[in-house]
């Protein structure tokens, strides 16, 4: 397929002039950029029922890899596994940044290709278990052609992690795009267009809702400090956005199943915002909405929230791909890669939480998400003890046996139903905000953030004779 029919010429040139996203390669000596959608624990949980062993010739394609956030994060997690990763991007300038980042980290498991994702069917690179494509398809003249190109190299049991723009959360961005289309001259240099845009944005009245609920001044300052991001956001010559309903329709058109929305940014917490029950307080109205199908409920929540500017999700040929909390061979574990590496169990303060739960049966334990939304764990007499035994190594079967032994010593024998429902009370909340995940007991634990970052720091120091 000739990509000239899908990319405008200045889109190609944009990413040569302004590699995106903005990053300094040597930042990787002191931090690991976490991409929640591409955490192995999330990919396995959402797409492979928690049962995928990534050591078994796992093949990854990062399509439109830009300056390397996704490819570096995936390669770092898969560093010591029998995995193969391909990076494809149209911009040679962006590829150079990504390669330098990989070099800084000593990553050797990436194959680098300069080219269009539209051409992957003819590149002879085989099929893949997992395909990442974030922030790219919505810049194609024909996003469906792009998705179909990726679909053609997806294994029958493989999965994709995609991100496209959200229509309602970006409404004010398109307002600015239209404004700058009137102000800027098409023949002006990009630098002049950026200068014009900064001047125009400084003139926006206080009533302008740039960022939909994000602190307005900080949002503006962020763009002013990163003119490349400003250019990509407000001066891009080709982008479109999707509603929830349009995402589902798009996947259906391409013969793919939705496997679940997820977070693109853990702090922003896009996933939790698809729940209408967190917004609608009128009981009769909520009862009505909760009878809708899942896609329709999510569509309602998107409209009520109005803040979802990115749709990050997984898709594949299969439905019902998520790990089951009813499978006693599953190992529940709390994530340690939340909000840039801060462990969830620190934020949740598990020790005190378990003590409170055991001391206050019948009361709800309210969890406040970084977005400000709150969600409550229903606390049964078993909840605190179950949570106490979640250590990332024990299976649900083992945890339930330990809880039963504890309570038998008190003269009480919990039923399997009581145990299951108590665990679901924890799971349904902590999984929804991506703090709790499941993997099968046959799958080894994933590398931790601290392990990966420490490994990189020590290797970089050794290669560069840094004390």
């Amino acid at each position: 397929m000739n990509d000239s029919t899908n990319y405008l010429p200045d889109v190609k040139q944009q990413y040569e002039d302004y590699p995106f996203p903005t990053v300094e390669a040597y930042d990787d000596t002191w931090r690991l950029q976490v991409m929640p959608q591409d955490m192995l624990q999330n990919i396995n949980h959402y797409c492979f029922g928690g049962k995928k062993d990534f050591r078994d010739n796992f093949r990854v394609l990062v399509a439109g890899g830009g300056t390397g956030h996704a490819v570096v994060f995936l390669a770092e997690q898969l560093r010591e596994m029998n995995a193969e990763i391909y990076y494809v991007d149209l911009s040679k300038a962006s590829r150079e940044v990504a390669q330098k980042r990989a070099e800084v980290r000593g990553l050797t498991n990436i194959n680098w290709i300069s080219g269009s994702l539209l051409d992957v069917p003819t590149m002879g690179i085989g099929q893949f278990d997992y395909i990442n494509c974030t922030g790219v398809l919505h810049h194609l003249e024909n996003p469906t052609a792009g998705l179909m190109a990726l679909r053609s190299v997806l294994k029958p049991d493989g999965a994709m992690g995609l991100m496209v723009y959200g229509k309602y959360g970006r409404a004010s961005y398109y307002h600015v795009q239209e404004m700058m289309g009137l102000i800027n001259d098409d023949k002006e240099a990009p630098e002049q267009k950026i200068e014009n845009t900064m001047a125009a944005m400084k003139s926006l009245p206080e009533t302008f809702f740039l960022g939909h609920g994000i602190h307005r001044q900080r949002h503006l300052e962020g763009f002013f400090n990163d003119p490349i991001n400003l250019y990509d956001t407000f001066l891009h010559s080709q982008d479109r956005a999707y509603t929830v309903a349009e995402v589902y329709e798009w996947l259906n058109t391409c013969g793919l199943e939705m496997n679940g929305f997820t977070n693109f940014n853990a702090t922003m917490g896009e996933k939790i915002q698809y729940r209408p029950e967190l917004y609608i307080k009128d009981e009769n109205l909520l009862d009505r909405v909760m009878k809708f199908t899942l896609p329709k409920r999510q569509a309602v929540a998107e409209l009520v929230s109005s803040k979802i500017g990115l749709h990050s999700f997984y898709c594949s040929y299969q439905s019902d791909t998520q790990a089951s909390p009813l499978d006693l061979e599953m190992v529940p574990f709390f994530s340690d890669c939340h909000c840039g590496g801060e462990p969830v169990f620190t934020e949740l303060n598990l020790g005190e939480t378990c003590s409170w739960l055991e001391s206050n049966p019948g009361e709800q334990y309210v969890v406040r998400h970084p977005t400000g939304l709150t969600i409550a764990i229903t606390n049964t007499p078993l909840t605190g003890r179950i949570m106490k035994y979640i250590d990332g190594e024990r299976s649900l079967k083992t945890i339930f046996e330990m809880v039963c032994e504890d309570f038998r010593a008190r003269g009480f024998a919990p039923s399997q139903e009581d145990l299951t429902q108590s665990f679901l009370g924890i799971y349904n909340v902590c999984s929804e905000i991506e703090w709790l995940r499941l993997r099968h007991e046959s799958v080894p634990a994933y590398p931790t953030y601290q392990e990966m970052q420490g490994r990189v720091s020590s290797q970089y120091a050794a290669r560069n004779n840094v004390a």
Side-chain angles (χ1 to χ4, degrees), residues 365-385:
Y365 182 83
V366 177
V367 177
R368 180 173 294 276
H369 191 270
T371 60
L373 293 172
T374 58
I375 188 168
I377 295 174
T378 299
N379 183 26
T380 76
L382 306 177
T383 301
R385 190 53 57 101

Side-chain angles (χ1 to χ4, degrees), residues 262-306:
T262 184
N263 288 331
F264 183 76
N265 182 312
T267 306
M268 293 298 296
E270 295 89 359
K271 178 177 171 59
I272 195 175
Q273 296 182 54
Y274 294 96
R275 293 174 64 106
E277 62 268 37
L278 299 182
Y279 307 101
I280 299 174
K281 304 306 178 185
D282 183 279
E283 291 185 6
N284 291 331
L285 180 59
L286 181 59
D287 182 63
R288 180 189 186 96
V289 171
M290 294 306 290
K291 292 177 182 176
F292 295 162
T293 62
L294 176 61
K296 190 172 180 179
R297 294 200 305 271
Q298 292 171 333
V300 169
E302 179 188 27
L303 284 160
V304 175
S305 166
S306 79

Side-chain angles (χ1 to χ4, degrees), residues 12 25 45 49 55 57 138 163 189 196 231 244 253 256 260 273 278 304 337 354 444 464:
K12 295 181 183 179
H45 178 95
R55 300 169 298 179
N57 298 306
H138 51 228
M163 183 277 278
N196 296 343
Y231 192 95
V244 164
T253 297
L256 294 166
Q273 296 182 54
L278 299 182
V304 175
C337 279
C354 292
N464 293 274

Side-chain angles (χ1 to χ4, degrees), residues 395-467:
S395 68
L396 281 172
K397 180 183 178 189
T398 299
I399 291 171
F400 288 175
E401 288 173 348
M402 294 175 71
V403 172
C404 283
E405 184 175 343
D406 289 348
F407 276 85
R408 274 196 294 268
R410 303 180 189 179
F412 170 64
S415 69
Q416 185 65 43
E417 177 67 16
D418 289 338
L419 290 163
T420 298
Q421 291 304 313
S422 295
F423 173 68
L424 287 177
I426 301 168
Y427 175 83
N428 289 337
V429 171
C430 292
S431 173
E432 190 67 21
I433 53 183
E434 302 199 336
W435 287 3
L436 185 68
R437 286 287 166 254
L438 302 172
R439 72 171 191 278
H440 192 263
E441 60 186 3
S442 64
V443 176
Y446 308 106
T448 68
Y449 180 92
Q450 289 75 15
E451 289 169 348
M452 290 187 290
Q453 187 53 39
R455 183 170 59 203
V456 170
S457 298
S458 61
Q459 289 183 359
Y460 176 80
R463 287 197 308 273
N464 293 274
N465 298 315
V466 178

Side-chain angles (χ1 to χ4, degrees), residues 195-213:
E195 184 178 333
N196 296 343
T197 305
M198 286 185 173
M201 291 175 70
K202 289 178 182 178
S203 303
L204 293 173
E206 290 297 321
T207 52
F208 191 87
F209 50 99
L210 185 71
H212 278 72

